[in-house]
Amino acid sequence: MIKSAYLHIPFCHHICHYCDFNKVFLKNQPVDEYLQFMDMEMKHTLERFPPDHLETIFVGGGTPTALNEKQLAYLLDSVQRNFPVTQDMEYTFEANPGDLSLEKLHLLKEGGVNRLSFGVQSFNDELLKRIGRTHRKEDVIKSIEHARAAGFDNISVDLIYSLPDQTVEDFQDTLRTAFSLDMEHYSAYSLIIEPKTVFYNLMNKGKLPLPTEEEEVQMYDVLMNEMEKHGYQQYEISNFAKKGYESRHNITYWDNASYYGIGAGAHGYVDGVRLANHGPLKKYMDAISETGLGIKEEHTVTREERIEEEMFLGLRKTQGVSISGFERKFGADALHILQAPIDENIKKGLLEIQGDYIRLTRKGKFLGNEVFQAFIGAI
């Protein structure tokens, strides 16, 4: 059953120093044409893979809110025409603080969007400048005030820690400001230096002063402690929510469930097949002109790969991987066919079995990648 749809808007007013997502500068790009090709892709995708009951839509980027009002209205109408948008679904737009006028907010609300995800990253203006962000702390506060006034009652804020020259104390200050805004949801990720980014080039030149590994661990420890203290449940390694406000869309990924991927560079997973779209705009639009779809690659996931994904995606969730659910999916006992990596990580204190679930311990959350790696090629 296909539960979710991801739509990619690759346009940005400015490219952040750490970002490796598929994106292009907005200026002089064929934005209107691109949106028309997305509309065609939605139509042909649903013809090839009819939806059962769609539960979530997530529009990411890039910067979806970089679209002007006319373009935004076209996109929202396109989604409404192609997908079964309902009041009970979770419909999220990523937003850049400072990009959202009241008119855009009202367009989103009228178009069925009921959740916003703000890419804040930090509340330290100097750090924001250092990482290539164009907004400042005051822009975030105003954007959230405007979103509340427009009727949005489900808002998420993204944060990044272990930034260049960032201290534990600075991250604590960012968290204090974040909690003062009383959001429904927070995501917080440790900075990862990706190839083909400004930060990657600086790091290779020895010009990127990052916090030590010990300081990064301290920041994550502070994050978990402060979230718990302020009443936010950690339901995934990097995600925290008030009860009932967990990201249903992201849970689709961690449950290894099916989803559509629409747009340049988007990825989908349908009927056991992983789909990857062309990234460059021209190649993406040319592919749709020829076939109605933007697909560059299709990969049928083997049983062994599905099991690996079930473990390293499912273990990201605080709840963990259901033993009975694993048996229903694969007709096998996880504790038997994966005995070696499970036992090894239990001995290390990184995994535990709690009732029907295999899950990371608190110590395991700090070393999640090490645990996930143990399940690659384990069968």
Side-chain angles (χ1 to χ4, degrees):
M1 184 173 77
I2 305 170
K3 298 174 61 176
S4 301
Y6 173 78
L7 282 68
H8 191 74
I9 305 298
F11 308 108
C12 292
H13 288 301
H14 184 79
I15 305 298
C16 301
H17 297 343
Y18 53 84
C19 180
D20 75 328
F21 294 127
N22 190 51
K23 77 282 181 186
V24 293
F25 284 112
L26 178 68
K27 190 175 181 181
N28 298 325
Q29 295 295 338
V31 180
D32 293 345
E33 187 181 5
Y34 175 80
L35 295 175
Q36 291 166 11
F37 275 97
M38 279 187 72
D39 182 76
M40 291 169 58
E41 186 187 16
M42 288 182 226
K43 178 178 180 293
H44 288 287
T45 296
L46 269 65
E47 287 174 355
R48 180 178 174 184
F49 307 111
D52 299 298
H53 174 65
L54 209 62
E55 297 179 8
T56 76
I57 296 174
F58 192 105
V59 183
T63 311
T65 52
L67 302 177
N68 63 35
E69 283 82 356
K70 184 178 177 182
Q71 292 161 348
L72 193 58
Y74 179 91
L75 174 61
L76 291 164
D77 180 64
S78 177
V79 173
Q80 289 271 11
R81 281 186 287 103
N82 287 290
F83 287 109
V85 177
T86 60
Q87 286 188 339
D88 63 342
M89 72 165 26
E90 178 190 270
Y91 187 176
T92 304
F93 250 72
E94 283 187 342
N96 189 45
D99 274 350
L100 271 180
S101 64
L102 283 171
E103 185 176 358
K104 286 184 182 180
L105 282 163
H106 289 304
L107 277 173
L108 292 173
K109 194 69 177 172
E110 290 164 10
V113 177
N114 54 25
R115 184 175 185 270
L116 297 175
S117 178
F118 282 102
V120 173
Q121 319 318 354
S122 173
F123 287 100
N124 179 322
D125 285 349
E126 285 302 313
L127 263 183
L128 287 169
K129 185 177 178 181
R130 181 81 179 271
I131 66 178
R133 299 293 286 179
T134 56
H135 73 267
R136 297 297 177 257
K137 175 181 175 179
E138 192 60 33
D139 296 319
V140 178
I141 293 169
K142 286 181 180 177
S143 292
I144 290 172
E145 286 176 356
H146 290 160
R148 294 296 195 201
F152 286 94
D153 57 7
N154 188 357
I155 301 177
S156 178
V157 160
D158 281 1
L159 303 173
I160 300 179
Y161 60 93
S162 198
L163 295 168
D165 281 327
Q166 187 178 36
T167 64
V168 176
E169 291 74 20
D170 173 80
F171 184 55
Q172 289 173 320
D173 286 343
T174 274
L175 287 176
R176 274 192 284 272
T177 303
F179 291 132
S180 74
L181 297 172
D182 193 29
M183 299 292 91
E184 287 71 35
H185 186 282
Y186 294 99
S187 299
Y189 303 95
S190 174
L191 176 68
I192 298 174
I193 308 299
E194 301 284 4
K196 300 180 182 178
T197 62
V198 172
F199 275 175
Y200 183 79
N201 294 332
L202 288 173
M203 184 180 70
N204 285 341
K205 295 175 183 176
K207 296 181 179 180
L208 192 67
L210 296 171
T212 64
E213 187 175 324
E214 181 181 348
E215 287 172 320
E216 181 180 343
V217 167
Q218 281 182 276
M219 290 181 200
Y220 186 50
D221 190 50
V222 165
L223 173 69
M224 289 194 290
N225 290 337
E226 289 298 312
M227 286 290 172
E228 183 177 8
K229 189 163 73 175
H230 285 82
Y232 291 88
Q233 177 192 358
Q234 183 177 19
Y235 68 100
E236 191 267 349
I237 285 179
S238 301
N239 285 270
F240 307 81
K242 291 181 179 179
K243 187 174 181 181
Y245 288 94
E246 299 82 0
S247 170
R248 288 157 56 191
H249 184 84
N250 286 341
I251 289 172
T252 297
Y253 300 148
W254 303 320
D255 282 345
N256 208 18
S258 292
Y259 57 93
Y260 299 109
I262 304 292
H267 291 251
Y269 182 42
V270 181
D271 295 338
V273 179
R274 294 216 174 266
L275 309 164
N277 277 359
H278 290 277
L281 299 190
K282 186 176 186 309
K283 288 188 176 181
Y284 166 75
M285 293 189 289
D286 285 348
I288 292 175
S289 294
E290 293 172 12
T291 67
L293 300 170
I295 297 170
K296 175 186 177 183
E297 297 174 358
E298 298 189 31
H299 172 67
T300 301
V301 183
T302 66
R303 182 175 183 272
E304 289 74 16
E305 289 170 334
R306 286 175 58 219
I307 288 173
E308 290 173 358
E309 292 172 352
E310 186 76 12
M311 298 307 294
F312 67 69
L313 291 171
L315 286 173
R316 292 191 63 88
K317 298 178 295 182
T318 300
Q319 185 181 46
V321 175
S322 165
I323 298 168
S324 60
F326 185 99
E327 186 159 7
R328 284 193 299 273
K329 279 188 178 182
F330 303 107
D333 182 355
L335 299 180
H336 175 66
I337 66 171
L338 296 170
Q339 181 178 1
I342 290 172
D343 287 352
E344 175 190 354
N345 282 285
I346 287 176
K347 287 176 183 176
K348 290 180 179 178
L350 306 180
L351 280 181
E352 63 183 2
I353 297 173
Q354 186 79 19
D356 184 46
Y357 289 89
I358 307 163
R359 67 182 191 183
L360 294 175
T361 62
R362 182 180 173 89
K363 178 182 176 182
K365 290 175 183 175
F366 290 92
L367 298 167
N369 288 336
E370 178 182 321
V371 179
F372 306 151
Q373 189 64 37
F375 291 95
I376 305 298
I379 296 180

